[in-house]
Structures are given as structure tokens and as C-alpha cells.
Amino acid sequence: ILNVEQSPQSLHVQEGDSTNFTCSFPSSNFYALHWYRWETAKSPEALFVMTLNGDEKKKGRISATLNTKEGYSYLYIKGSQPEDSATYLCAFTRQAGTALIFGKGTTLSVSS
Amino acid sequence: DTAVSQTPKYLVTQMGNDKSIKCEQNLGHDTMYWYKQDSKKFLKIMFSYNNKELIINETVPNRFSPKSPDKAHLNLHINSLELGDSAVYFCASSQGGPAEAFFGQGTRLTVV
């Protein structure tokens, strides 16, 4: 059984704050690590897919890093905005074409 | 055009009934998945199909069966529905390799 752990479970910040979340996953037989953004009443949408140790990806104010040797990834949000409020999911795969194994997510709430 | 579409969006049915949820993707992806969202919003993999072949069959009850008439469709059949089957079911698809998954809008199944 593959366990993907995310922390914190939930987080509340003020507009303009920067924040980060953690995802830990099994470091053996690693293939890819995904981050998804899931807004209420919508479907999860992909943010990043990372495969190489040391990968760093950025999309606007959101960025992510990957450490496959120790089995963790960080997601950073700079200058949080209310529209960033969502659940952020981390998912892991061990080989191509196999299902994503999701963590339970970190729910971010940003107040204006 | 919606990339991954599920029907119906809502399904209310009585215990013991047999029902199906349809999923279609127009992205030309090789792999399709079914996920179950539990009460804590956790996405758990149920099945995945790659080129019409079942490649993962998680420990779900055999009352659940995926059926793929072609590469663009993966339908979920559920026999003898039970109260505990009430959940939101998400279909998703992805291309080969470490590609991101695209999700349908979800089907909220309520068994009464």
C-alpha cells in the first residue's frame, strides 16, 4: 500500500501571506509526483507534474520542488489571494500508465 | 467541448438497484480511471484501463465493474447498490508517461 501524506491538513492565511505545504511519499521506485488544485464543486486540475530529483516548477505565484531521494515535495504560494482558496492535492505514481495515488490534501483558506 | 464528461451528474437510487455511470474523454488519452471520493474528500483509485485492458483493479467489491467499449469510454457499473456506496465518483484520463490527469465533473451517487 502506497501512502502519500500531506501536511498541514488545513491552513488559514491572510491575503498577501506566503505559505507552503508538504507532501511525503515513498522514495523507492519513484516515477512521478503531481500537484492538483481542487476548488469546491469543481474537479481537480493539474498544477505540476515532476519527475526528476531537484525539479522545480513555477506557475505564476505558485511553485513546487521535488526531492525524490528523501521522498518529499513542497508547494509554495507567494502572496496568497482569496482565489487561491482550494484544496491542494499531491499524488504519486510508481510507473507509467498507473493510477495516481492521492494524499488527503491541504485545504487553504485565504481571507481578504 | 468538455475534455472528460460524466453522466449523470447526480444519481439517486434505492438499495439493491443496478446502475451505471458513463464516462467519455475526447482527448485521445490511452488510460482512463475511476476514483471514489469518500466522506473526507479523499480520492481513492478504483480502476484504471489502458488501451481497453484493465491494468489495476483495487480491492473494491465485485459489485463494481468497469466496462470500456472503446478507448474513449470507461463506464462504471454497480450491481446491488448498498447505502455505503453513496459517494462522489470521478472519472479521469491521462496520456502515457508522467502526464497530468484530467478529471470529469464527478457523479454524486446517493443510495436510499
Side-chain angles (χ1 to χ4, degrees):
Chain A
I1 295 176
L2 303 177
N3 287 323
V4 178
E5 303 289 340
Q6 292 188 245
S7 63
Q9 184 177 351
S10 62
L11 187 61
H12 183 94
V13 301
Q14 295 295 313
E15 182 175 359
D17 288 349
S18 293
T19 187
N20 65 83
F21 322 134
T22 303
C23 171
S24 62
F25 53 88
S27 57
S28 60
N29 299 322
F30 173 85
Y31 182 70
L33 191 285
H34 298 227
W35 281 99
Y36 287 79
R37 182 169 180 273
W38 193 3
E39 291 182 73
T40 301
K42 293 187 177 180
S43 306
E45 292 184 352
L47 288 171
F48 307 112
V49 180
M50 296 181 287
T51 57
L52 299 176
N53 185 46
D55 260 354
E56 292 188 24
K57 298 264 177 133
K58 186 175 181 181
K59 185 182 292 187
R61 294 179 291 99
I62 304 176
S63 60
T65 61
L66 178 66
N67 183 321
T68 61
K69 293 184 178 179
E70 296 182 39
Y72 65 83
S73 175
Y74 294 132
L75 185 78
Y76 301 91
I77 302 178
K78 183 177 178 182
S80 301
Q81 299 296 309
E83 57 264 32
D84 296 329
S85 297
T87 296
Y88 292 83
L89 299 173
C90 167
F92 163 83
T93 58
R94 269 192 165 154
Q95 66 181 73
T98 59
L100 298 171
I101 306 300
F102 283 89
K104 295 185 178 181
T106 293
T107 299
L108 173 68
S109 175
V110 183
S111 299
S112 56
Chain B
D1 281 346
T2 303
V4 182
S5 60
Q6 296 178 227
T7 53
K9 189 172 181 180
Y10 300 98
L11 180 57
V12 181
T13 187
Q14 291 186 327
M15 274 195 306
N17 283 351
D18 302 336
K19 290 293 179 184
S20 295
I21 305 172
K22 295 184 177 181
C23 179
E24 176 181 6
Q25 55 96 3
N26 62 5
L27 299 167
H29 286 168
D30 291 329
T31 307
M32 296 182 72
Y33 313 91
W34 277 103
Y35 285 87
K36 180 180 180 180
Q37 177 191 340
D38 67 16
S39 57
K40 297 183 178 180
K41 211 178 178 181
F42 179 46
L43 287 174
K44 183 176 179 181
I45 182 68
M46 298 178 71
F47 303 104
S48 67
Y49 256 70
N50 185 312
N51 288 327
K52 297 182 67 174
E53 292 184 21
L54 181 67
I55 59 172
I56 296 177
N57 186 346
E58 294 296 317
T59 55
V60 299
N62 57 14
R63 298 180 294 103
F64 291 78
S65 57
K67 297 230 181 345
S68 181
D70 55 57
K71 196 173 92 164
H73 296 83
L74 183 65
N75 303 325
L76 183 65
H77 296 269
I78 315 169
N79 295 324
S80 302
L81 278 155
E82 300 177 357
L83 292 176
D85 297 331
S86 296
V88 181
Y89 293 84
F90 283 94
C91 176
S93 72
S94 68
Q95 190 55 352
E100 64 191 86
F102 290 79
F103 284 81
Q105 78 275 27
T107 295
R108 181 174 292 279
L109 170 66
T110 303
V111 183
V112 297

